[in-house]
Amino acid sequence: MSLRVDIRKKYKGFALDAAFTSDDGTLALLGASGSGKSMTLKCIAGLISPDEGLITHDGRTLFDSAAKIDLRPQERSVGYLFQNYALFPNMTVRENITIAYRGKADCAAADVAALLARYGLAELAGRYPVQLSGGQQQRVALARIFACRPRALLLDEPFSALDTFLRENMQAELKRIIRDYSGTVVLVTHSRDEAYKIADRLVILDGGGPVAAGPVREVFARPGNIRAARITGCKNISAIEKTGERRFFAKDWGIELTAAGPVSETHTHAGIRAHDFKPALSAYPAEPGEPAGPARQEAESINAFAIEIADEIDGMFEKDIIFKTAAGAGEIWWIVDRNTDTKDIRALSIAPESILLLEA
Amino acid sequence: MVITPILISLKTASVAILFTFVIGTLLAYAINRAKNEQAKAIADAILTLPLVLPPTVAGFFMLYIFGVHRPLGSLLAGLGIKLVFSWQATVLAAVIISLPLMYRSARAAFDQVDPIYLEAARTIGLAESKIAYKILFPLAAPGLTSGGILSFSRGLGEFGATAMIAGNIAGVSRTMPLAIYSAVVGGRDEEAYGYVLILVIVSFLFVWGISIITEARSGRYRLKTRT
């Protein structure tokens, strides 16, 4: 299973220039709206023709501008799950699935019945799409896709049309469906949670091109540049100035910090995720007999700083705390469990390995 | 009052709508699929022309093309077909005059179908002809039907072009509008009232009936909303 995409396309003042490969597992294209992720997916499906470039899948050339190859969507064997599912409104659930069926005609009825059963649609077979809930529509759309046995599955913001409750159920369900599917899967999403939960590999798109790529957990742990850090949800980013082998001065926060690895000349910024701050031990009176590991002590002595809380926003499970350092002008976000007592906290610390060194 | 004009009118309008519906729909489908925007605009303009020109002018052009001394007319005459001043000419006039209504309605109806359904159909591997037949036409059905109703009604009421190319021959090409005109000109007002009444009733029943049928057919997969 391998998908290779290297395409360029200009459209109404927007320039897409995307190059990435995916060998195994599920690939997520993560980006904000206008990043070119949906356009990329439509280029893979053949619904949009790139201006130039190459798309190959499992050894088949789907598009090659140099060789003048541009397979029609019908010839690409690519299943596309649309944002609003695009079920044919003039057909019942059964008809929607039957029309997509590829296989021996005399097996059609039995195979369609098996698909209906597998996606929990047996009771709904005679209904029209307008009579179904969002989750049911999504299951019909998936059944319709698998009825034509595609070699790749493209998911375009599959959960954006569902409400929160249903979304979480469908995420779990889709993850199971993907696990049983042997073809290539590409997920387009603007939600880092979805990308993190569902995908194995990640390509972050911004402004029409990829800004980071790699295994999902690695990209989240080391986004590498400012844009990728923001899109993976890093709330706090400051310009920096190198002051030592691993030390730098964060200009926006007015504090000096130590990173886990060496700071290079190309690192112009540093990022800290809002969840990663810990109350500095010195903020609490030492409890008798509490062991404090030497590593933690040492890290803290270099990365602890005094703070002043400016604002608190209570959420259901967490609260957002907006604070400033003693010297700094910029606001910093800290997100903690909502039961954390923050009243007496006067200092925070950050582990060196939680500091993201970023290029511009 | 003789009944022949009523029968001629109904026959003309019924035969004409078959041609108009098929030709108008296929033209709209072909032009909707064309990529060249400029060519589309030109095709739109040409196919709308019979609607904006006075029907007598359209009839004049038809005489010019199909007259027995013109190339096309003499070619047809050589094949034993004399079109001008025949019943067939009433059909031709009705088709030409009502085609723009069908064409424009069909274009609008196809434009209104969300292209996402066609994209979905392509990704599941359906051939373009099957997409047209199974998805595009059914989803455009309400617009196509209303275009058909308009065209039929227009064909039923066609006067100017019919008078030019088919004449006003009693029992052959005298449709109801022409019969009404002849009755009024001849001072037979009673007869004119009769035709007018029949024309109004027939038109109303037809349009009403078609609306009921379409509503029943497409209503099953449309969500009823309170207004």
Side-chain angles (χ1 to χ4, degrees), chain A residues 42 45 47 72-74 78-80 82 84 86-91 99-100 102 128 130 144-145 148, chain B residues 114 116-128 130-131 134-136 138-139 220-223:
Chain A
K42 290 200 163 173
L47 299 172
R72 295 182 306 130
Q74 284 95 332
V78 156
Y80 196 111
F82 290 85
N84 57 0
L87 299 177
F88 306 132
N90 55 324
M91 298 181 199
I99 198 169
R102 295 282 160 279
Y128 285 95
V130 75
R144 183 174 71 176
I145 287 170
C148 62
Chain B
D114 192 334
I116 201 161
Y117 298 125
L118 312 180
E119 294 184 340
R122 287 185 190 115
T123 60
I124 60 170
L126 299 189
E128 293 295 328
K130 196 166 187 183
I131 295 173
K134 286 283 209 181
I135 295 155
L136 182 64
L139 292 183
R220 62 191 167 161
Y221 58 82
R222 261 163 242 280
L223 201 58

